[in-house]
Amino acid sequence: MGFMRYQRKQDERVAHACINNLADIPNGVTVVVADLIPGVPLREGAIIAPDEAGFYHLLKTAAVVEVATTTATEYKVEKGHHFKVGDFVMFKTGAKSYAITAIDTTSPIFDKITVGTTLGEAIPVGGTLMLAKGESATVSAFKYPPFAACGDSYPVEALTNTPVAAITFGQFRAALCPPLSDEIKAALPTLKFI
């Protein structure tokens, strides 16, 4: 005699950041994992850009969670970013960018990024720190000019470069994307963040 087995399961729906993918890079791209932190996902809607060799890199960003003054050297940011000690960070292009000297991850609700020299900007809650090319007092620039957005979320594993869907023309829900500054959005006219 057969037995019937019932399983209770919760329907898990994933809210996707990408609403419309109108054009992407055929066969995807490879994102260099050496820049990233293993265990922290590469999120859907994250902005990526190629280097001279054709490998893609994450344009790292972090959202500020506590107002920072023009003399601050410590910035409290949301967890889940990929910044590392030694990365250069800026709040605006054409301004200051300095190296991260320490990242304190002990708080359960935020990370504290310490920069050797103040970025010299009053940063509001929700302001976005961005990966910069190098140290500068007046001409900070994107390390990698924004080019495409990740079409899905991907786990990051050490020593494994990640193949990623790269969307060049499409629509994203901004609330589900990693932090994006107005400058990043302006550099990507074919991507709409709504």
Side-chain angles (χ1 to χ4, degrees):
M1 184 175 149
F3 291 95
M4 275 182 113
R5 207 163 122 227
Y6 292 99
Q7 263 187 326
R8 285 179 66 134
K9 248 175 139 179
Q10 202 166 355
D11 191 12
E12 285 185 37
R13 291 179 193 274
V14 178
H16 281 285
C18 182
I19 309 164
N20 283 307
N21 172 5
L22 303 172
D24 59 16
I25 297 169
N27 305 321
V29 300
T30 299
V31 172
V32 175
V33 164
D35 307 355
L36 307 179
I37 296 170
V40 178
L42 178 60
R43 286 172 55 194
E44 187 176 359
I47 304 304
I48 52 178
D51 60 21
E52 298 75 40
F55 286 106
Y56 279 69
H57 298 265
L58 173 66
L59 177 59
K60 301 180 187 186
T61 60
V64 173
V65 296
E66 190 175 284
V67 171
T69 66
T70 54
T71 55
T73 55
E74 292 182 343
Y75 300 91
K76 290 182 181 175
V77 299
E78 278 178 6
K79 288 189 164 294
H81 60 83
H82 280 277
F83 279 113
K84 295 179 177 182
V85 170
D87 281 342
F88 294 95
V89 67
M90 64 182 175
F91 177 59
K92 278 197 225 166
T93 56
K96 297 177 189 291
S97 54
Y98 291 104
I100 295 172
T101 55
I103 299 176
D104 180 351
T105 59
T106 52
S107 163
I109 48 175
F110 61 81
D111 286 352
K112 190 162 63 184
I113 289 178
T114 304
V115 180
T117 309
T118 180
L119 298 178
E121 302 283 343
I123 304 177
V125 170
T128 304
L129 297 181
M130 300 174 284
L131 183 64
K133 197 178 223 160
E135 186 169 306
S136 167
T138 52
V139 291
S140 56
F142 290 121
K143 183 166 185 182
Y144 306 103
F147 186 79
C150 291
D152 208 341
S153 290
Y154 300 89
V156 172
E157 291 167 29
L159 309 175
T160 312
N161 283 347
T162 306
V164 166
I167 297 173
T168 53
F169 202 121
Q171 260 186 344
F172 287 82
R173 285 189 187 92
L176 298 178
C177 293
L180 298 166
S181 68
D182 290 343
E183 285 185 290
I184 293 172
K185 293 176 189 173
L188 294 162
T190 57
L191 293 176
K192 288 279 172 270
F193 297 94
I194 55 177

